[in-house]
Amino acid sequence: MASLTDVARHAQVSIATVSRVINNSDKVVPETRDLVHKAMAELGFKPNRVARRLRQKGGFRHLLGLIIPDIQNPFFAEMARGVEDVAYAHKFAVMLCNSDEDMKKEEFYIDVLQSESVDGIILPPISERDGVVLKLVESGVPVVTVDRSLAHRSMDKVEVDNRRGAFEAVDHLIKLGHRRIGLIAGRLNVSTSRERRLGYDDAMAAHKLPVASEYIRGGDFKQASGRAMAEELLDLPSPPTALFVLNNLMTVGALEAIHRRKLKIPGDIAVIGFDDLPWAEALDPPLTVVRQPAYEVGQAATELLLKRLEDPKRAETHLKLLPKLVIRNSC
Amino acid sequence: MASLTDVARHAQVSIATVSRVINNSDKVVPETRDLVHKAMAELGFKPNRVARRLRQKGGFRHLLGLIIPDIQNPFFAEMARGVEDVAYAHKFAVMLCNSDEDMKKEEFYIDVLQSESVDGIILPPISERDGVVLKLVESGVPVVTVDRSLAHRSMDKVEVDNRRGAFEAVDHLIKLGHRRIGLIAGRLNVSTSRERRLGYDDAMAAHKLPVASEYIRGGDFKQASGRAMAEELLDLPSPPTALFVLNNLMTVGALEAIHRRKLKIPGDIAVIGFDDLPWAEALDPPLTVVRQPAYEVGQAATELLLKRLEDPKRAETHLKLLPKLVIRNSC
DNA sequence: AAAATCAATGTAAACGTTTACCTTTTATCG
DNA sequence: CGATAAAAGGTAAACGTTTACATTGATTTT
């Protein structure tokens, strides 16, 4: 692969001039510029990003890091697309890593990204007091948290109004006449889970209904746990008439449990899921969900990160995007 | 961030020694090794991957490139996990890029990956005679194609036996008594589409049934086209009694069209989709599909690539994995 | 017309590693 | 005991860029 030096030799100029042409600095006369361009074309020259990143101190490295729990989760996949599209539009590349909610993996990837000297990192912390992420932030690398946030730390972040989203879902169920509403929650050390739980409580309180703890189960965000929790709830002597499931994968699990028992939705049991699914419309019946603007979260986070790179001193921005109750036919 | 030089100074040895410790070369006596380790720990030293990649000619750069059409497609998401898991197990990082089936984007990302000097690249070519990929292969970068393949080019590749998969699906439908079987295909310039189409023909021929071209539609793999094609087929004067849809996203589209018309599955119309979906079981009725071993494809491709890196001269390997007809209740 | 300024380009150092080669020390052998 | 080999560590060049600084020649100023 042709290097700067080759191009310089071929065009009979110095490497500095070639470099200036590449970075289209103004200080080069049109004729030389054309000469260099011709030489680059003839040799098929592509600037080496590695060497460039190594040398360049100021300026952009044109590389972003994105660490998510699992790319197979449609919510994160959609978010990742938001990130990638904005990055691509600015000619940034993205290194995407899956942490599997595993701190060891998260740490490995944070190390990698740092030593790849990415311009900045976007991630949802594994927990509210995720030490690895905290250390990362302290080290000065620009970080934007998405979806979840870090406790006691002011920084750029993009969240969704989880409490409000959950409130609307449960409020909707109550207005439809449901009183026994099962809640399948996620891990409680992540901020989103707790906020959604609060939204549930809010709605119950608003309608002066008691919160019965036997209707509340804690899962781990995975499909299998959604199914298991749903089964526990349906086995109750006086089972809930509606289920509110706090993420997409667990919703799929709950649906499996319901179909297994040949229960009719919404006749026998109503269901609302948190997170929209690309196939929610294709389900029978189409599923009512709290839709999070995942794509927009990714977009906004990337824009925030890019702005921070341009101006490291700018004030920290907290964005809270609104989820939307998408009413279909499962309630 | 502490550098090799800092560590060397701190441990009172030369940078060469530190480098040797890092790469645990044998030529360093235990005491010095410990000294260096201590210094590294004290300074929190992390080797800089960028500098390392720049310098190192032989040996591994520990970075792989993966270009897929769309991470939101569950098939590719699953494949990506296969790639990532194997890469992670070997301490390789993966740069993931979405091409959106757009040659311009594909080219941009290939440039990026090359100039990041990745060890190798895994990708499904956008078409059988994808010039950009062809040029990449010619340039000597190790490439493994997955899912789709390149015409007239012998190279490491991992495919799925599409023809066989399609055959089994259609054969199943025919044995169930269906005669008018609608086919919703993808772009015909990709190998998988054409092979699946051949499988359809095979099955019809095996049962001595004529292939009626009005039952065959070509889409573009996207959800919207699946829906549109399904609508066209259902509008036919003598509509098909079964639909075979050649990828997951189009299947979701077709399902939407069917529900829109309030048709019953499988009573009014039977459906088989190519590609399994994480939620296929949660559909009502659960969807019968041809399951592609996507995760295994990703795994195998990565292993192949890693082997190629270890031995650039080894014979090219063509892997053809078997899909599986997963019979649920939609036929 | 000499001096000062400016625009265009060149020179060389730096970024953080790896590695070929050289030096020093220590062990081995006849 | 001197010669030799092996082991451990050091020196410096290289990887492909960017960039501070130096150089050159032309133009303007006095």
Side-chain angles (χ1 to χ4, degrees):
Chain A
M1 178 120 284
S3 79
L4 246 196
T5 323
D6 301 328
V7 176
R9 197 170 15 237
H10 196 257
Q12 316 234 51
V13 296
S14 77
I15 57 168
T17 304
V18 179
S19 176
R20 281 192 268 261
V21 170
I22 293 169
N23 302 291
N24 47 77
S25 144
D26 37 353
K27 305 214 155 205
V28 50
V29 95
E31 297 121 59
T32 0
R33 177 193 306 270
D34 293 349
L35 214 65
V36 172
H37 274 139
K38 193 161 138 269
M40 293 200 304
E42 282 175 19
L43 274 66
F45 169 78
K46 300 276 167 58
N48 180 319
R49 292 171 60 102
V50 178
R52 192 191 281 241
R53 272 222 298 298
L54 177 59
R55 183 59 232 272
Q56 211 168 33
K57 281 296 99 165
F60 297 155
R61 261 133 278 213
H62 288 268
L63 182 61
L64 262 32
L66 172 62
I67 306 181
I68 56 177
D70 180 12
I71 193 61
Q72 287 196 73
N73 180 326
F75 171 73
F76 290 116
E78 188 181 337
M79 206 184 78
R81 283 309 308 251
V83 171
E84 220 232 55
D85 288 352
V86 173
Y88 177 75
H90 290 80
K91 302 229 174 278
F92 273 64
V94 175
M95 270 188 85
L96 182 126
C97 319
N98 295 267
S99 71
D100 280 323
E101 313 269 3
D102 170 351
M103 301 270 286
K104 277 273 156 280
K105 269 188 111 168
E106 185 180 56
E107 186 165 18
F108 169 79
Y109 282 125
I110 285 181
D111 277 359
V112 169
L113 293 179
Q114 273 195 280
S115 81
E116 287 287 349
S117 58
V118 296
D119 290 299
I121 299 180
I122 297 174
L123 50 71
I126 288 184
S127 83
E128 280 185 297
R129 19 185 60 83
D130 185 323
V132 189
V133 174
L134 218 52
K135 225 168 61 190
L136 171 68
V137 175
E138 241 107 68
S139 81
V141 177
V143 175
V144 177
T145 58
V146 280
D147 183 40
R148 312 168 182 175
S149 65
L150 231 42
H152 310 306
R153 237 312 177 165
S154 174
M155 54 188 303
D156 290 319
K157 58 182 173 185
V158 182
E159 297 174 298
V160 169
D161 195 335
N162 287 287
R163 190 164 180 171
R164 167 96 175 263
F167 174 86
E168 288 186 5
V170 178
D171 181 65
H172 176 68
L173 287 170
I174 297 173
K175 284 184 179 147
L176 252 32
H178 293 282
R179 291 298 172 264
R180 300 197 307 275
I181 301 174
L183 182 74
I184 299 179
R187 278 190 294 117
L188 285 180
N189 62 348
V190 336
S191 54
T192 52
S193 274
R194 279 217 323 282
E195 294 197 352
R196 291 173 198 172
R197 169 64 204 276
L198 288 173
Y200 173 93
D201 290 350
D202 288 350
M204 296 301 267
H207 290 271
K208 308 216 187 318
L209 292 171
V211 171
S213 66
E214 78 252 38
Y215 292 139
I216 296 178
R217 305 282 153 152
D220 64 359
F221 296 130
K222 307 256 178 75
Q223 187 163 336
S225 88
R227 182 170 180 157
M229 298 300 117
E231 273 168 358
E232 282 183 29
L233 286 170
L234 295 172
D235 278 342
L236 250 28
S238 153
T241 62
L243 242 39
F244 180 34
V245 192
L246 291 194
N247 94 333
N248 49 14
L249 266 28
M250 293 194 302
T251 305
V252 173
L255 252 26
E256 283 174 9
I258 292 170
H259 289 147
R260 175 84 75 90
R261 284 158 201 250
K262 307 239 178 283
L263 297 175
K264 285 282 159 232
I265 302 173
D268 300 327
I269 184 134
V271 178
I272 296 191
F274 214 99
D275 296 337
D276 200 4
L277 301 164
W279 64 88
E281 192 111 32
L283 289 169
D284 190 23
L287 189 70
T288 295
V289 299
V290 177
R291 161 158 176 70
Q292 296 198 70
Y295 186 84
E296 289 78 7
V297 169
Q299 273 186 312
T302 314
E303 277 156 11
L304 236 51
L305 184 51
L306 259 24
K307 280 190 199 149
R308 159 88 35 226
L309 296 181
E310 300 218 340
D311 175 11
K313 308 234 162 309
R314 77 194 287 270
E316 277 137 4
T317 308
H318 298 183
L319 246 42
K320 198 163 224 170
L321 270 37
L322 279 184
K324 188 164 175 295
L325 181 64
V326 180
I327 298 175
R328 292 195 269 246
N329 310 318
S330 63
C331 300
Chain B
M1 178 120 283
S3 77
L4 244 196
T5 324
D6 301 328
V7 176
R9 197 171 15 239
H10 197 256
Q12 316 235 51
V13 296
S14 77
I15 56 168
T17 305
V18 180
S19 175
R20 282 192 267 260
V21 171
I22 292 168
N23 303 291
N24 46 77
S25 140
D26 36 351
K27 304 214 155 201
V28 50
V29 96
E31 297 122 58
T32 2
R33 177 192 307 269
D34 293 347
L35 214 63
V36 172
H37 274 139
K38 194 161 137 270
M40 295 201 300
E42 280 175 20
L43 274 65
F45 169 79
K46 301 273 167 61
N48 181 320
R49 291 171 59 101
V50 178
R52 192 191 281 240
R53 272 223 297 298
L54 178 60
R55 183 60 233 268
Q56 210 167 34
K57 283 294 99 166
F60 297 156
R61 260 134 276 212
H62 288 269
L63 183 62
L64 262 33
L66 172 62
I67 305 182
I68 55 177
D70 180 13
I71 192 63
Q72 287 197 71
N73 180 326
F75 171 73
F76 291 116
E78 187 181 338
M79 206 184 78
R81 282 311 309 250
V83 171
E84 220 232 53
D85 288 353
V86 173
Y88 177 76
H90 290 80
K91 301 229 175 277
F92 273 63
V94 176
M95 271 189 83
L96 181 127
C97 318
N98 295 267
S99 70
D100 279 322
E101 313 269 4
D102 170 351
M103 302 270 285
K104 277 273 155 281
K105 270 188 109 167
E106 184 181 56
E107 187 166 15
F108 169 79
Y109 281 125
I110 285 182
D111 277 0
V112 168
L113 293 179
Q114 272 194 283
S115 81
E116 286 287 348
S117 58
V118 296
D119 290 300
I121 299 180
I122 297 174
L123 51 72
I126 289 184
S127 83
E128 280 184 298
R129 21 184 59 84
D130 186 322
V132 188
V133 174
L134 219 52
K135 225 168 62 192
L136 172 69
V137 175
E138 240 107 67
S139 82
V141 177
V143 175
V144 177
T145 58
V146 279
D147 185 39
R148 314 167 181 174
S149 65
L150 230 43
H152 311 306
R153 229 338 178 144
S154 174
M155 54 189 303
D156 289 319
K157 59 182 173 185
V158 182
E159 298 174 296
V160 170
D161 195 334
N162 287 286
R163 189 166 181 168
R164 167 96 175 262
F167 174 87
E168 287 186 5
V170 177
D171 182 64
H172 177 67
L173 287 171
I174 296 173
K175 284 184 179 146
L176 252 31
H178 294 282
R179 290 298 172 265
R180 300 196 307 276
I181 300 174
L183 182 74
I184 299 180
R187 279 191 293 117
L188 286 180
N189 62 348
V190 335
S191 54
T192 51
S193 274
R194 279 218 322 283
E195 295 197 351
R196 290 173 199 171
R197 169 65 204 276
L198 288 174
Y200 174 93
D201 291 349
D202 288 351
M204 296 301 266
H207 291 271
K208 306 214 188 321
L209 291 172
V211 172
S213 66
E214 77 253 37
Y215 291 141
I216 296 178
R217 306 279 153 154
D220 65 358
F221 295 131
K222 307 255 177 73
Q223 189 163 335
S225 89
R227 184 171 178 157
M229 298 299 115
E231 274 168 358
E232 282 183 29
L233 287 170
L234 296 172
D235 278 342
L236 249 29
S238 154
T241 61
L243 243 40
F244 180 35
V245 192
L246 291 194
N247 95 333
N248 49 13
L249 266 28
M250 294 194 300
T251 304
V252 173
L255 252 26
E256 283 174 7
I258 292 170
H259 290 147
R260 175 84 75 89
R261 286 161 197 249
K262 309 238 177 284
L263 297 175
K264 286 282 159 232
I265 303 173
D268 301 326
I269 183 132
V271 178
I272 295 191
F274 214 101
D275 294 335
D276 201 2
L277 299 164
W279 63 88
E281 192 111 32
L283 288 169
D284 190 22
L287 189 70
T288 295
V289 300
V290 178
R291 163 160 174 69
Q292 296 198 69
Y295 187 85
E296 289 78 6
V297 169
Q299 273 187 314
T302 313
E303 277 157 11
L304 236 50
L305 183 51
L306 258 24
K307 277 189 201 150
R308 158 89 34 222
L309 297 179
E310 300 219 340
D311 175 12
K313 308 234 162 305
R314 77 194 286 272
E316 277 136 5
T317 309
H318 298 183
L319 245 44
K320 199 163 223 171
L321 271 37
L322 278 185
K324 187 162 174 296
L325 180 64
V326 181
I327 297 174
R328 294 196 267 245
N329 309 319
S330 63
C331 298

